[in-house]
Amino acid sequence: MDMFKIIWFLIIFVSIVSVEVAGRPAVTGSEEDEELEKQLKLLNKPASKTIKTEHGDIIDCVDIYKQPSLDHPALKNHTIQMEPSAFPEELRGHGTPLSSSNLMEVKPRRLTCPRGTVPIPRIQKEDLIRIRSLPKTTKANTYNPSDNDIHVTHFADCHIREDPTNHIYGASAMFSIYNPKIATIYDFSGVSIWIQNFQGDKYNSIRAGWIVNPNLYGDNNTRLYTRWTVDRDDQTGCYNTLCPGFIQVGSVPLNQVLNQPTHGDLQSTLDLLVFKDPKTKNWWLTISKNRILVGYWPSNLFDVLKDNAQRIAWGGFAYSPGNEAALEMGSGQFKSNDQENTCFAGGLQVIDEFNLYRDPSKFTIDAYSDKPACYGVDYRGNTTGEIGYNVLFGGPGGLKCGN
C-alpha cells in the first residue's frame, strides 16, 4: 500500500471517531500490529524536542515544513503562511466592550518548541486501537437541523439562517467552560463555532470549541478541539491534526486541557476567532482577540467553503450512542437568563467582506434545540455591558431525550 493510500485509509478511520462502538477495543495478530506501526510512522514525524504535559499528553516539536498535515494530496506544493495578511478590525465607533467582572479568559498554554518547529500531539498505539474498533459512521458531526439522519447527536444553538445572499468571512465568540459528565467512553459533549456552507448535496464545515471526548483523548478532561469536513463527514475530515489538513503555525497544541481558574466565583471562558484571510483565502483559527495564532485550514481543502460561508452557528452538542440516556450539555443545566449557571456563547460577532467585525443583528437569527425537553436554548440578543450578543444553551440530558 503506497503512502497516500495509507494516509487516506487512516483519514477514513479517524473521521469516524465519534460513533457508536459495539465492543471493547482489541488488537489481534502480528499483521494488525504491523499495520498500526506503519500508520504511526506516517503520522508521527521526527521530533527535535518532546514535551510531556502535566496531563500525560506527549507533544512532539516537529519541523513546521514536515508536519503531517502537509501529507494531504491537495497540499503537495503548499506554501505555508506564517501569519494572516490582516486581522479583522472593529467597525469604528461600534465596538462593544465586554465588562462582566466575573469572567476570566483561559488562554491555552503555549509550548516552548525550538524555532522552526510546531507542537504536534503524538499519536500512540492505543489511540489507533480505539479508532480501528469503530464499525460504522453515523454522520454524527454533520450539523444541519433539516437532516433526518441526525438521531444520536443533539444540538442546542443559535445560528444565522442559511441564505445564499449571506457572505460571511468568519465568526468569533467567548464560550464559558464546563466539564459535562460523560457516562461511557463512547459519549462526547462540547461547544462549537460552526462555519458552514451548503450547496445542493454538498456540505463543508469548520468547527472550533471545547469538548469532552474520552474516545478521542482517552480521558474526561475538557479540551480545545477543531474539526473539518468537505462531505458531511462521509469520507473526509477529522479532529485536530489527526489527519492531513489543518496547518499548525502557532505554539498552541490543539488537544490541550483547558484548566479552569481557582479564583472564587470567576467564570472561565474560551475566546475563539475563525476568519478567512482576505488575500490567501485560508481559514485561520486564533485564540481571543489577543491574536494568539494556532493555524489555518488551506482554502483548497474545500469546495463550497472555498470563498465564504452562508451560515454560522454558536452552541452546544452532546452525543450518546444507541439506547443510552442523553448526557449533559454545557453546564449540565439550563436556566433562562442565568449566565452564571448556564453555558453561554457571548460576544457573538461575524466578519464581513471588508474584514470588519459586525454584530449578528443584520442577519436573521434562529434559536434551535432538537430536544427541547432536555436541552434549552435562549438567544438574548445584546445584553449591553455584560457579554454582548449572546446565547445560553445546554441541559442535563437524561432518558426523556431519547435517541
Side-chain angles (χ1 to χ4, degrees):
M1 184 181 293
D2 63 33
M3 184 180 70
F4 284 136
K5 286 183 179 178
I6 293 175
I7 289 171
W8 286 105
F9 176 74
L10 181 58
I11 288 173
I12 294 172
F13 274 112
V14 174
S15 65
I16 60 174
V17 297
S18 302
V19 298
E20 178 180 354
V21 182
R24 186 179 180 84
V27 174
T28 58
S30 60
E31 290 185 1
E32 197 164 5
D33 282 336
E34 289 177 7
E35 184 62 32
L36 286 171
E37 292 299 330
K38 288 180 182 178
Q39 293 178 12
L40 289 171
K41 287 180 180 179
L42 286 172
L43 283 172
N44 295 320
K45 304 298 184 182
S48 61
K49 178 182 177 180
T50 295
I51 300 169
K52 188 170 184 178
T53 73
E54 60 186 301
H55 301 285
D57 302 319
I58 298 176
I59 310 295
D60 289 328
C61 296
V62 175
D63 186 325
I64 192 171
Y65 297 104
K66 297 180 180 178
Q67 59 182 294
S69 285
L70 294 174
D71 288 335
H72 193 295
L75 304 180
K76 184 177 182 181
N77 298 312
H78 182 74
T79 299
I80 292 179
Q81 183 181 4
M82 300 305 296
E83 61 181 20
S85 63
F87 285 90
E89 298 180 1
E90 294 284 357
L91 186 64
R92 185 172 298 177
H94 286 72
T96 304
L98 306 178
S99 59
S100 186
S101 60
N102 67 333
L103 301 180
M104 173 176 281
E105 179 184 353
V106 174
K107 295 181 180 178
R109 180 183 175 190
R110 289 185 274 186
L111 300 184
T112 305
C113 278
R115 186 179 180 86
T117 67
V118 289
I120 304 294
R122 183 182 298 178
I123 310 303
Q124 302 190 73
K125 184 177 288 188
E126 54 264 36
D127 301 320
L128 291 186
I129 290 172
R130 290 197 303 268
I131 294 167
R132 289 169 67 95
S133 72
L134 303 176
K136 62 189 179 74
T137 63
T138 61
K139 298 183 181 178
N141 292 286
T142 299
Y143 178 77
N144 183 353
S146 66
D147 284 354
N148 294 325
D149 59 351
I150 298 176
H151 61 283
V152 289
T153 304
H154 300 305
F155 299 90
D157 71 78
C158 74
H159 54 266
I160 292 172
R161 186 178 298 174
E162 181 191 353
D163 187 330
T165 66
N166 289 344
H167 292 91
I168 303 170
Y169 295 82
S172 66
M174 62 175 180
F175 291 99
S176 51
I177 301 174
Y178 289 94
N179 184 247
K181 294 178 182 178
I182 301 296
T184 76
I185 190 176
Y186 310 124
D187 299 333
F188 60 85
S189 183
V191 305
S192 276
I193 294 176
W194 282 270
I195 310 289
Q196 304 168 311
N197 233 353
F198 302 85
Q199 191 176 99
D201 292 334
K202 293 183 177 181
Y203 168 83
N204 292 187
S205 79
I206 291 170
R207 294 169 54 177
W210 60 252
I211 195 170
V212 179
N213 189 334
N215 199 41
L216 177 61
Y217 296 114
D219 60 36
N220 286 6
N221 289 318
T222 301
R223 293 175 179 263
L224 178 68
Y225 93 103
T226 66
R227 188 173 174 89
W228 65 275
T229 182
V230 296
D231 61 0
R232 298 178 181 268
D233 290 296
D234 187 15
Q235 298 293 322
T236 68
C238 69
Y239 288 104
N240 305 332
T241 55
L242 287 176
C243 70
F246 183 85
I247 303 294
Q248 184 96 20
V249 299
S251 56
V252 176
L254 282 173
N255 69 335
Q256 73 172 265
V257 175
L258 300 173
N259 289 318
Q260 299 187 39
T262 57
H263 305 283
D265 296 327
L266 289 179
Q267 172 63 64
S268 56
T269 65
L270 173 65
D271 291 15
L272 295 174
L273 167 63
V274 180
F275 70 97
K276 195 167 191 63
D277 189 289
K279 290 186 178 180
T280 66
K281 310 304 180 183
N282 298 325
W283 288 94
W284 278 89
L285 171 65
T286 68
I287 306 296
S288 85
K289 291 183 180 179
N290 291 325
R291 301 178 176 180
I292 300 172
L293 295 179
V294 182
Y296 63 91
W297 296 268
S299 63
N300 59 342
L301 290 177
F302 305 99
D303 43 35
V304 298
L305 197 57
K306 184 182 290 290
D307 296 320
N308 57 66
Q310 295 179 3
R311 191 176 189 278
I312 303 293
W314 301 271
F317 57 90
Y319 170 92
S320 51
N323 297 318
E324 290 183 13
L327 67 151
E328 291 183 350
M329 180 192 297
S331 67
Q333 58 182 313
F334 179 81
K335 297 181 179 180
S336 185
N337 288 316
D338 183 358
Q339 69 191 50
E340 293 184 1
N341 295 291
T342 303
C343 193
F344 66 80
L348 306 183
Q349 290 184 296
V350 298
I351 314 303
D352 69 11
E353 64 269 32
F354 303 107
N355 207 30
L356 295 173
Y357 287 103
R358 300 276 186 170
D359 65 54
S361 63
K362 66 175 290 187
F363 300 96
T364 301
I365 304 293
D366 294 326
Y368 170 80
S369 173
D370 74 323
K371 292 291 182 180
C374 59
Y375 301 125
V377 58
D378 180 16
Y379 174 66
R380 302 193 297 172
N382 185 15
T383 52
T384 305
E386 295 183 8
I387 54 175
Y389 285 84
N390 68 91
V391 58
L392 307 184
F393 58 88
L399 291 171
K400 59 185 177 182
C401 295
N403 282 328

